[in-house]
Every structure is written in structure tokens, then in C-alpha cells.
Amino acid sequence: MNGPARNATLDVAALTAIDVHTHVHRSARATSATESDEAMASMAKYFKTGAKSYTVDELAAFYRTQNMAAVTFTVDVKDAPSRPDQPGNEEIAERAHANSDVLIPFASVDPARGKEGVRQARRLIEEYGVRGFKFHPTAQAFQPDDRSAYPLYEVIQEAGLPALFHTGQTGAGAGQRGGGGLRLRYSNPIHLDDVAADFPDLTIIMAHPSFPWQEEAISVALHKPLVHIDLSGWSPKYFPPVLVQYANTLLKDKVLFGTDFPMLTPERWLADLAKTEIRDEVKPRLLKDNAVRVLGLG
């Protein structure tokens, strides 16, 4: 691709919502979805859903039926076994730009890749037009305020792109022996406070209601101007009361609609939102307006 594409065909005004948190688990080049389906079955058990793996094009087709746009990505883990059935950053970016009426590509680079990861990030921005970066501290086994990750943040801040961080408990490894070796402490949102202080022009999205650290997440979002919270990965009817309280008031411009699709569908998420105390006047900001600003789609 010749330079960053900027979602030229995305008709923001026509969209009912922008889902800022979706995953692609299956490559269009995969001859079999067996491995993806096994991993999805484990996650679906945790979420108690009938989730299945999607390619980028299948994801786009689904979101067209919803009249929504979606941010989508994978999670890069440097030392994970090779998975040819899963898409890489380049495939996601290329196919998302081919479906730019509904999809916004983020990339994922494990900070453990060091200088090579920094070069990858620059290339993904300059040649593939990615619009942000996803980090999963628990899966990638790093603390977000570890200085080894700072060169990556410098590249992202310089490009004016957002960085989205998983926070709180994760379905990955849940119920497996030793939790699959994954450590939850890396995803305490308080670790993002140093990042936000050291990179004051970096837009940060804390993904999910941050169980069991919800108040830490709210505190960081209240204190740091460019820190936001996406509400993915949980049915809204299970949102902690303190999160609903702040979403209705001091954080009404900082909360973002997200599903964690395919684990949760937009239909279920929106149906359950109606069962909460989220105010009607806040919903347009939550569902679309805040994302338009944060993602630079205005």
C-alpha cells in the first residue's frame, strides 16, 4: 500500500455505532479453521456464547448488516507457536482497507520484539495505514510502564494514533491449568498512569471494565486527559455501579462502545445496555461520537 489510507469511504454520519474492539481469529489463507475453532471453543465456554472464528472479510460482511463500523485486530505474541491459520497485521490491514466502509485496522506488536518491533510498527503505519495499536499485557507478559515498551509508544504517539490496552481479568487461559501460565497483574490499569504521564500526547484506550481494578481505571481516566475506557468484553447489565455512575457523568466523553466480538455480539450488547441506568442522552456519545473523536474520523 502506498502510505496510510484514511478510511476515505467510511460514512460516519450513516453509521449507528462504532465498535472499537473486535478480533479476527482466522486467516483467509487458512486451509482449515481447526486450530482457531479449538481456541474459540475455549473462549466461548468462558464467555458462555456460541462464538466462532471470522476472517476480516466475514467480519466486514457482518458489520454491514449492523450498519456499524468496527476496529479490528489480532494479538501479536513474540514467542507463541506459529499459527498459519491466524491472520497477521498485514493481512488485517489490507483486507480492512478493502472493506473500509465498515472496518478500521489496528495492528499489534509485542514489545518483546524490541528494535525490530519498532521497525515493524513504523512500517505498518507508513506502508499499511494502520489506525492504532492493540496491546495485551497479560498475553504478552509485560507491564505497560516497563521502559522497554517506550520506544513503541514513541512511534505511536509521533504518528498521532491511539494505543488500546487490555485491562483486568482475561478469558485467555481461564480455567486452564495454572491459567495457561498467564499473569493477571500485568493488566492492572494503574500501570497505564505512568504511560499517560510520560506520553502526554498519546491517546490511550483501556479495554474492558477492569475487574477487579475498576476504580483504578476510573481514576486514571479522570486524571489523564487522553485516557479512555472501552466497555467491551462484558454484558452491560453486569457493569459495576461505579462504572455506570461515572459513564453518566464525569466520563461521559471518555467511554466507548466495544463488544469484544465475536465473544459478544452487538445485538446482545445493545439489548443489555437497555437494561442499565446509562442515560439516553449519553448513548450517542458512547456509541459513536466519542469514537469519532478518539479515532480521528471527524
Side-chain angles (χ1 to χ4, degrees), residues 134-156:
K134 164 66 184 286
F135 295 95
H136 197 306
T138 292
Q140 294 167 329
F142 81 105
Q143 196 161 292
D145 55 5
D146 190 309
R147 296 312 191 261
S148 66
Y150 275 30
L152 263 179
Y153 303 156
E154 289 172 3
V155 170
I156 300 167

Side-chain angles (χ1 to χ4, degrees), residues 175-228:
Q176 297 179 17
R177 182 172 177 266
L182 302 180
R183 290 162 171 79
L184 300 179
R185 65 179 173 85
Y186 291 127
S187 291
N188 186 330
I190 200 64
H191 299 313
L192 290 166
D193 188 59
D194 271 12
V195 178
D198 292 337
F199 295 88
D201 298 319
L202 176 65
T203 296
I204 293 173
I205 303 171
M206 297 185 290
H208 318 307
S210 302
F211 178 82
W213 303 291
Q214 184 63 80
E215 293 188 1
E216 284 90 334
I218 289 171
S219 178
V220 177
L222 286 172
H223 193 259
K224 300 300 190 289
L226 295 185
V227 177
H228 308 76

Side-chain angles (χ1 to χ4, degrees), residues 13-273:
L15 299 171
T16 60
I18 299 173
D19 185 340
V20 303
H21 197 121
T22 74
H23 293 262
V24 175
H25 295 94
R26 182 158 52 87
S27 170
R29 296 186 292 270
T31 57
S32 169
T34 302
E35 287 185 82
S36 290
D37 286 346
E38 288 177 356
M40 287 297 296
S42 176
M43 291 285 283
K45 182 179 179 181
Y46 174 82
F47 281 93
K48 297 181 173 60
T49 68
K52 65 170 188 171
S53 57
Y54 281 72
T55 65
V56 178
D57 292 280
E58 290 169 345
L59 183 77
F62 174 79
Y63 272 86
R64 285 192 190 97
T65 69
Q66 306 297 304
N67 197 31
M68 295 179 184
V71 170
T72 195
F73 41 74
T74 185
V75 175
D76 174 47
V77 179
K78 177 178 177 290
D79 294 325
S82 176
R83 290 284 302 276
D85 62 319
Q86 290 189 332
N89 289 312
E90 293 81 1
E91 178 181 340
I92 290 174
E94 289 175 343
R95 296 315 306 157
H97 287 307
N99 292 280
S100 62
D101 58 314
V102 289
L103 294 185
I104 301 162
F106 273 30
S108 179
V109 176
D110 189 338
R113 294 189 183 277
K115 292 181 180 179
E116 174 57 29
V118 172
R119 288 192 290 268
Q120 284 184 23
R122 290 193 185 279
R123 183 172 62 87
L124 288 163
I125 294 167
E126 295 169 3
E127 298 181 19
Y128 287 87
V130 300
R131 302 301 307 277
F133 284 79
K134 164 66 184 286
F135 295 95
H136 197 306
T138 292
Q140 294 167 329
F142 81 105
Q143 196 161 292
D145 55 5
D146 190 309
R147 296 312 191 261
S148 66
Y150 275 30
L152 263 179
Y153 303 156
E154 289 172 3
V155 170
I156 300 167
Q157 178 178 255
E158 180 183 284
L161 299 178
L164 187 154
F165 292 82
H166 171 92
T167 66
Q169 188 169 324
T170 178
Q176 297 179 17
R177 182 172 177 266
L182 302 180
R183 290 162 171 79
L184 300 179
R185 65 179 173 85
Y186 291 127
S187 291
N188 186 330
I190 200 64
H191 299 313
L192 290 166
D193 188 59
D194 271 12
V195 178
D198 292 337
F199 295 88
D201 298 319
L202 176 65
T203 296
I204 293 173
I205 303 171
M206 297 185 290
H208 318 307
S210 302
F211 178 82
W213 303 291
Q214 184 63 80
E215 293 188 1
E216 284 90 334
I218 289 171
S219 178
V220 177
L222 286 172
H223 193 259
K224 300 300 190 289
L226 295 185
V227 177
H228 308 76
I229 299 175
D230 93 32
L231 301 178
S232 67
W234 284 49
S235 162
K237 65 183 180 181
Y238 298 124
F239 287 169
V242 68
L243 178 58
V244 174
Q245 173 191 344
Y246 279 94
N248 276 331
T249 54
L250 297 179
L251 292 180
K252 62 187 176 184
D253 293 320
K254 290 193 161 198
V255 286
L256 305 166
F257 165 53
T259 59
D260 218 2
F261 187 85
M263 297 307 161
L264 292 176
T265 66
E267 300 101 319
R268 177 185 171 187
W269 198 98
L270 291 173
D272 288 349
L273 181 68

